[in-house]
Amino acid sequence: MTKMEPIFFHPVFKERIWGGRKLQGYGYELPEGNVGESWLISAHPHGVSQVNRGVFQGKTLQQLWQEHPGLFGHPPEEKFPLLIKLLDATHDLSVQVHPDDSYANKYEQEAYGKTECWYVVDCEEDAELILGHTAATREELASMIDAGQWTDLLQRIPIQPGDFYLIPSGTVHAICQGTVVLEVQQSSDATYRLYDYDRTDSQGKKRELHLKKGLDVIQVPHIRSTEERKVFAEGENRVETLTENSRFSLHRIQVQGDLAIPPHRTYALGNLLRGSLHLITDGGVYPLKPGDSFLLPHDLGSYRLSGSGELFITEPATPPEGQTRKKAKAAVDLGGTNLRVAAILSDGSIGRMLTSPTFAHLGPDYIIQNMIQLLQSLQSEWDFESIGIASPGPLDARQGVILHPPNLPGWEAIPLKDRLQSILNLPVQLENDANAAALGEALFGAGQGKQSVFYMTVSTGIGGGFVYEGKIIQGAHSCAAEIGNMVIDPHGPEHPLLNRGALEVMASGTALNREIQRELSHLDSTAALFRSAAEGNPSAKRVVDEFLQSLSIGIANIIHVVDPDLLIIGGGVLQSKEWFWEDLLQKVQAYLYPQLRGQVEIKPAALEGNSGLIGAAHLDSQG
């Protein structure tokens, strides 16, 4: 071979009980039957790709791997590590789980376990996926499976085209009907079927289940892994990084015109799903049409893409012996509902986030052990400098002790900082979740460049945080900015813990839901309340007016006491801000000193639900 050029492959089609005929809409001539899978690039013995043109025509991918390692940069692995598929789920797939490398090596004689990802190419309007389970312990999981409590056990999530999900080994999952998915995975066919809806095959037999092995490998509790989708835009062209994990990376490239691509670190795999492109290298011009799957060899160099189309590029991860863990700060968001642990980069972006249910009723020992496992899992990929924790109060931030938060039963004077430091050997800092969110917004969100930033969250409760010159103002007793207990109306509703008529009692999401239940029980959410008020419902309008009145008084009080450059509002209630934001701003101005009107900027939070995580990661900057 005198020049490096793309190497194109035939797909391998698989008939499946759940398949259909939709894949023919992506450039493929399908065989007869219900085709569920097209293995686009594969060296796995259950479906091996063959080169369909050029000097290597007729060779298999595994042969290229063994006989021409220079095409791949002389990799150390004996077997090709990746497998790329396009799936048509005309009916529900079975509920299943995959093993990790160690288990697959020992029990299945597979070279690899199976971590995979899904990009939703297309789906029906009400399509969904099964992703995860609800069990807190392995005993509860086994009991629910034995009792056939699949409806209660399985987590279903709605999807739409363009969604992306990483499915690490050990994750319970299933693609559901009406969905076309591009799947990138490790080169493994090790699948343990847990539940198949009691379906029968063409011979009237139920398909085999693998419950014992499945129970061995299922992750308990369920952990969802996510990362920020990074986008590079150049004119109308977009390169979107969907994932960069320890197994592979996947990039979605949308071309409208001409786009230059720099050399890949090693070889890369391409799949064109839509449109028509030309791939232009120093050695030639190669037309690409829908359905084309190809290898870009190691020494191909830079190239250009010209035309209009949607191309997916997969690259292998660096082999373990060559991997260096990336520098990051660890962050923990300890919530009453969810426990989130993340690797946060120096620019405030999220390298990876792991989320599991908190299961608060199981107490601090269970939650702390789960927290440690999540942090250790991230440490396989990231080199942490420190750990920052955002926690509900009350707490002693200086000593790192959680005192007695109402939504975490059993947490009475828990020395969380000391417990984590003793096991993980990293510096740990603890902070009130509202203060951590304030720091996140001040450093990387809506407050960037401002000297004095006050943050308030309006959600189930109301909290606050004040950041001055990049530092959290904690107060003498770690209670600064506890604005939820600020009295708005001394004759207002009572509360078992807070002052009568406090801001949280008058203007939180809980306060709105209280009024909905009392007067507007036909409404099912605070969003529905705001819509109903905008449509002229007098009862809904009165509730919203009273909410805005109380909230605007609270905001004006904060401004008079602190006089910040900027006041930021975040929290769940802000998801409905389109219905009330301008009205709120006008009401606030009416309560301010004339010289303050229009001087203090008020903005919604920019980091959405991640302010606390990002702020927690940077608690070590507080000195």
Side-chain angles (χ1 to χ4, degrees):
M1 187 173 180
T2 59
K3 61 182 180 181
M4 285 294 178
E5 60 184 19
I7 299 172
F8 292 82
F9 298 100
H10 288 294
V12 178
F13 299 108
K14 300 283 186 176
E15 186 169 1
R16 298 291 187 239
I17 191 173
W18 41 264
R21 307 293 298 172
K22 289 181 183 176
L23 297 187
Q24 62 192 0
Y26 296 89
Y28 304 110
E29 293 184 14
L30 302 185
E32 296 296 321
N34 295 322
V35 177
E37 301 183 13
S38 175
W39 291 26
L40 306 180
I41 299 178
S42 168
H44 194 278
H46 293 174
V48 183
S49 299
Q50 283 190 328
V51 180
N52 65 16
R53 69 188 82 162
V55 296
F56 294 120
Q57 184 170 355
K59 291 271 190 181
T60 68
L61 178 55
Q62 186 61 29
Q63 284 176 310
L64 294 184
W65 183 259
Q66 293 170 335
E67 299 169 10
H68 302 276
L71 294 172
F72 307 90
H74 297 279
E77 303 98 329
E78 289 186 12
K79 296 188 177 181
F80 188 74
L82 300 174
L83 198 165
I84 302 176
K85 303 175 181 177
L86 193 63
L87 285 74
D88 168 20
T90 297
H91 304 284
D92 292 347
L93 274 70
S94 62
V95 179
Q96 54 194 238
V97 66
H98 303 306
D100 62 14
D101 291 0
S102 176
Y103 197 95
N105 294 163
K106 182 175 182 179
Y107 294 101
E108 305 301 336
Q109 292 72 56
E110 288 271 11
Y112 305 103
K114 191 171 175 183
T115 284
E116 63 189 20
C117 68
W118 297 334
Y119 177 83
V120 180
V121 177
D122 197 13
C123 63
E124 295 176 359
E125 185 174 352
D126 297 323
E128 59 186 8
L129 298 174
I130 292 172
L131 190 60
H133 61 83
T134 61
T137 64
R138 199 163 293 279
E139 292 75 20
E140 181 183 13
L141 174 69
S143 175
M144 293 180 78
I145 289 176
D146 187 58
Q149 295 176 292
W150 296 105
T151 300
D152 295 331
L153 179 63
L154 300 176
Q155 294 185 354
R156 293 178 175 267
I157 56 174
I159 59 171
Q160 59 186 2
D163 284 351
F164 176 80
Y165 301 92
L166 182 66
I167 319 292
S169 58
T171 303
V172 174
H173 63 277
I175 302 171
C176 299
Q177 67 178 27
T179 306
V180 176
V181 165
L182 178 71
E183 178 175 292
V184 177
Q185 60 164 86
Q186 292 179 271
S187 182
S188 174
D189 208 18
T191 296
Y192 300 142
R193 194 178 295 124
L194 306 172
Y195 178 55
D196 197 34
Y197 315 99
D198 296 321
R199 289 184 294 203
T200 56
D201 61 19
S202 57
Q203 282 77 46
K205 297 180 180 178
K206 292 182 181 179
R207 295 196 294 173
E208 182 184 4
L209 301 180
H210 315 94
L211 294 180
K212 183 183 182 304
K213 289 182 176 179
L215 284 168
D216 283 347
V217 304
I218 291 174
Q219 206 173 58
V220 184
H222 167 63
I223 300 169
R224 181 175 175 186
S225 177
T226 56
E227 58 197 295
E228 289 187 9
R229 291 166 66 159
K230 305 177 186 69
V231 178
F232 166 77
E234 181 182 278
E236 294 187 61
N237 301 315
R238 286 168 56 90
V239 179
E240 184 178 18
T241 299
L242 301 174
T243 182
E244 288 181 301
N245 61 70
S246 60
R247 307 299 183 186
F248 51 80
S249 62
L250 176 62
H251 312 275
R252 177 180 177 237
I253 303 178
Q254 295 171 282
V255 182
Q256 292 290 335
D258 196 82
L259 178 65
I261 305 293
H264 296 288
R265 181 188 56 79
T266 179
Y267 66 93
L269 309 172
N271 303 96
L272 186 70
L273 294 190
R274 298 184 177 100
S276 176
L277 295 175
H278 285 86
L279 192 156
I280 305 164
T281 73
D282 288 341
V285 178
Y286 306 91
L288 304 178
K289 65 182 185 306
D292 278 347
S293 299
F294 51 90
L295 165 71
L296 299 172
H298 171 63
D299 290 329
L300 181 73
S302 59
Y303 58 94
R304 290 190 297 118
L305 297 169
S306 180
S308 175
E310 181 182 38
L311 177 68
F312 290 83
I313 294 290
T314 302
E315 297 180 83
T318 304
E321 57 269 25
Q323 287 180 4
T324 56
R325 292 184 301 157
K326 294 167 279 190
K327 291 282 187 182
K329 298 173 185 287
V332 178
D333 180 16
L334 174 57
T337 302
N338 288 315
L339 174 65
R340 300 189 300 162
V341 174
I344 308 294
L345 306 183
S346 59
D347 63 357
S349 62
I350 297 175
R352 183 166 308 286
M353 178 167 65
L354 304 180
T355 305
S356 75
T358 306
F359 296 112
H361 66 283
L362 294 179
D365 288 343
Y366 173 91
I367 297 170
I368 292 171
Q369 182 58 37
N370 192 23
M371 187 184 300
I372 291 168
Q373 289 177 352
L374 293 176
L375 287 164
Q376 290 175 332
S377 177
L378 285 178
Q379 281 183 306
S380 65
E381 186 177 353
W382 301 89
D383 181 11
F384 290 139
E385 304 168 2
S386 58
I387 301 171
I389 305 170
S391 168
L395 51 80
D396 184 334
R398 293 181 177 86
Q399 297 299 317
V401 176
I402 297 179
L403 300 176
H404 45 85
N407 60 345
L408 292 175
W411 288 71
E412 301 290 335
I414 300 296
L416 183 58
K417 174 180 176 177
D418 289 346
R419 289 183 64 169
L420 291 188
Q421 284 186 165
S422 67
I423 294 174
L424 298 172
N425 296 315
L426 285 169
V428 176
Q429 289 181 283
L430 177 69
E431 186 53 84
N432 176 282
D433 48 13
N435 284 343
L439 183 63
E441 286 289 339
L443 297 180
F444 300 102
Q448 288 187 79
K450 300 293 186 180
Q451 180 187 54
S452 174
V453 176
F454 196 96
Y455 171 85
M456 66 183 300
T457 177
V458 184
S459 194
T460 303
I462 291 182
F466 184 38
V467 176
Y468 185 77
E469 293 186 342
K471 303 294 184 182
I472 297 170
I473 305 300
Q474 293 180 324
H477 309 95
S478 297
C479 288
E482 288 288 358
I483 57 174
N485 204 27
M486 176 195 308
V487 176
I488 300 299
D489 179 3
H491 305 294
E494 294 184 344
H495 189 277
L497 297 175
L498 301 174
N499 287 321
R500 180 170 185 168
L503 180 59
E504 182 170 315
V505 179
M506 302 293 291
S508 63
T510 301
L512 287 173
N513 283 318
R514 179 189 66 229
E515 296 303 311
I516 289 172
Q517 293 171 10
R518 191 174 71 171
E519 294 192 45
L520 298 152
S521 57
H522 63 285
L523 301 178
D524 60 0
S525 66
T526 55
L529 170 67
F530 289 117
R531 284 195 300 270
S532 182
E535 291 165 359
N537 181 303
S539 296
K541 191 173 185 309
R542 182 192 59 76
V543 171
V544 170
D545 285 345
E546 290 179 356
F547 158 77
L548 294 178
Q549 179 86 354
S550 298
L551 186 57
S552 61
I553 292 172
I555 292 171
N557 288 345
I558 294 165
I559 291 173
H560 285 134
V561 172
V562 176
D563 189 19
D565 294 318
L566 172 67
L567 188 142
I568 300 171
I569 308 176
V573 173
L574 267 289
Q575 293 176 4
S576 302
K577 67 180 183 296
E578 62 183 290
W579 301 103
F580 65 79
W581 184 256
E582 293 302 323
D583 194 10
L584 174 65
L585 296 185
Q586 290 178 13
K587 288 181 181 297
V588 170
Q589 298 306 312
Y591 286 110
L592 294 178
Y593 278 140
Q595 60 266 41
L596 284 174
R597 291 173 188 166
Q599 299 303 305
V600 178
E601 193 175 5
I602 302 174
K603 294 171 65 174
L607 301 178
E608 298 180 340
N610 295 323
S611 306
L613 265 177
I614 294 168
H618 291 84
L619 290 172
D620 59 350
S621 68
Q622 298 300 286

